[in-house]
Amino acid sequence: MAGDTERIEQDIAQAREDLAKTLDALADRANPQRLADDAKNKALATLSLPAVRYALAGVGVLVAVVVVRKIAR
């Protein structure tokens, strides 16, 4: 009986440790600052791609032409 009780207590202690580790990992993954930093880094990485840069430059030129034509009329 004493052995069973000790084993159960050890199992409970191990389950508590595992739960604490899981909660710490979830808290780290759900940290708003980390999520914002990850999103910012991903956006900057996407914007640094040549295809995206050229597309944005083309859109900028197109908008500038449309604005100039509207002003000129």
Side-chain angles (χ1 to χ4, degrees), residues 2 10 28 41 47 49 59 73:
Q10 289 174 351
D28 183 49
N41 290 336
L47 290 174
L49 295 174
V59 169
R73 286 185 183 184

Side-chain angles (χ1 to χ4, degrees), residues 8-22:
I8 292 171
E9 287 176 355
Q10 289 174 351
D11 290 346
I12 291 171
Q14 183 63 43
R16 284 184 182 152
E17 288 178 29
D18 292 344
L19 181 59
K21 289 177 185 176
T22 300

Side-chain angles (χ1 to χ4, degrees), residues 6-65:
E6 289 177 17
R7 185 183 53 79
I8 292 171
E9 287 176 355
Q10 289 174 351
D11 290 346
I12 291 171
Q14 183 63 43
R16 284 184 182 152
E17 288 178 29
D18 292 344
L19 181 59
K21 289 177 185 176
T22 300
L23 289 174
D24 288 343
L26 288 173
D28 183 49
R29 289 176 64 187
N31 182 338
Q33 184 62 44
R34 191 185 73 71
L35 292 173
D37 289 342
D38 288 349
K40 178 181 143 188
N41 290 336
K42 192 172 186 179
L44 289 175
T46 300
L47 290 174
S48 69
L49 295 174
V52 175
R53 278 183 173 171
Y54 296 139
L56 289 175
V59 169
V61 168
L62 180 62
V63 168
V65 167

